[in-house]
Amino acid sequence: MDRYRVIERLAKQHSWTRGCELGVWLGVTTFWLMRNTALHMTCVDAWEHQPDNPEYAWQYESIPPDSRATQFTPWDHEANETAFRTGADEWGDRIAIIKGRAMAVIDQIPDASLDFVFHDGDHSHPYVWEEIKAYRSKLKPGGFHIGDDHNWSTVRKSVQSAFGPGNYTVTGKDVWYKQI
C-alpha cells in the first residue's frame, strides 16, 4: 500500500482533521489526501538546492543508495514549487504552504496542533531522527509520526533511534508510523 493510502486509512480511522507534510516535492501525497479526506494540511518544502547539506547530492542529484530507482532526473526545484502551488490553489485554505527547511520553519507551526506529521524530506541520519524529536511538540496527544522509505538504511536507523527497534509499525511499501 502506498504512503498516501496508508495515511488516508489512518486519517479516516482516527478522524484526523490536521496534518503536516515535510518534504512536499510535487504534492502527490497532499493532493491524494485532499481528494480522499477532509484534512487540512500544512505543507513544508524548501524547493531549493542545498549545497551546505552533505546528503543533498545523493538524494536530489543522483540515485540514493537504498532507493529502488533505476533512472534519475535531477530535480528542477523552481518547476516543482510552481507545480505544487498551482495544484494547491484548487484546495484554498485547506492547504497552508510554508517555504523553508523543516527544522528552520518549525516555529511557524503551533504546538499540539497536528494529528500527524509525515516526514518525507531529507532522508539522512541523524536528520530524520532530529526532525522526529523536534516535531513531537507539534502533535496533539495521541498524534502520529509517519514516514516512508523505511527500506533506506538512513531512514530505518533514524526511526529506530527515535522509537527503538520494533516499537513502531511498518506497513505497505515501507511506510512506518508511531502513535505518540
Side-chain angles (χ1 to χ4, degrees):
M1 184 180 314
D2 291 313
R3 64 192 181 274
Y4 42 86
R5 292 181 194 275
V6 171
I7 299 169
E8 174 192 356
R9 180 177 49 87
L10 289 168
K12 290 176 177 176
Q13 179 182 348
H14 296 281
S15 302
W16 289 345
T17 59
R18 298 213 171 268
C20 178
E21 182 174 6
L22 305 176
V24 177
W25 188 46
L26 292 167
V28 173
T29 300
T30 293
F31 296 149
W32 176 273
L33 294 172
M34 291 294 98
R35 286 189 301 274
N36 294 287
T37 72
L39 284 166
H40 286 74
M41 293 292 295
T42 299
C43 300
V44 177
D45 203 304
W47 291 293
E48 68 180 11
H49 183 71
Q50 299 174 22
D52 60 322
N53 179 347
E55 305 295 342
Y56 180 86
W58 69 260
Q59 291 187 87
Y60 303 107
E61 295 176 346
S62 63
I63 297 175
D66 293 326
S67 173
R68 292 187 188 100
T70 58
Q71 182 177 347
F72 185 81
T73 303
W75 288 20
D76 180 338
H77 295 292
E78 186 176 325
N80 293 344
E81 179 181 3
T82 298
F84 179 76
R85 287 182 182 277
T86 300
D89 284 346
E90 175 182 348
W91 305 102
D93 67 355
R94 285 185 58 204
I95 296 178
I97 301 170
I98 301 174
K99 183 173 180 171
R101 297 185 194 180
M103 297 299 276
V105 301
I106 192 168
D107 291 340
Q108 295 180 43
I109 300 170
D111 287 347
S113 65
L114 302 170
D115 295 302
F116 72 93
V117 175
F118 177 54
H119 302 268
D120 197 26
D122 189 324
H123 281 37
S124 65
H125 178 78
Y127 187 88
V128 177
W129 178 28
E130 296 295 333
E131 190 180 83
I132 290 168
K133 289 190 302 185
Y135 272 81
R136 182 175 184 157
S137 67
K138 305 306 172 184
L139 292 172
K140 298 174 184 176
F144 282 68
H145 285 288
I146 307 170
D148 66 349
D149 298 323
H150 190 263
N151 58 307
W152 291 29
S153 60
T154 53
V155 171
R156 186 172 47 258
K157 184 175 180 180
S158 290
V159 176
Q160 289 176 351
S161 295
F163 306 121
N167 290 323
Y168 56 92
T169 301
V170 179
T171 189
K173 294 181 180 175
D174 297 305
V175 178
W176 61 268
Y177 64 88
K178 172 70 174 176
Q179 184 175 19
I180 303 302

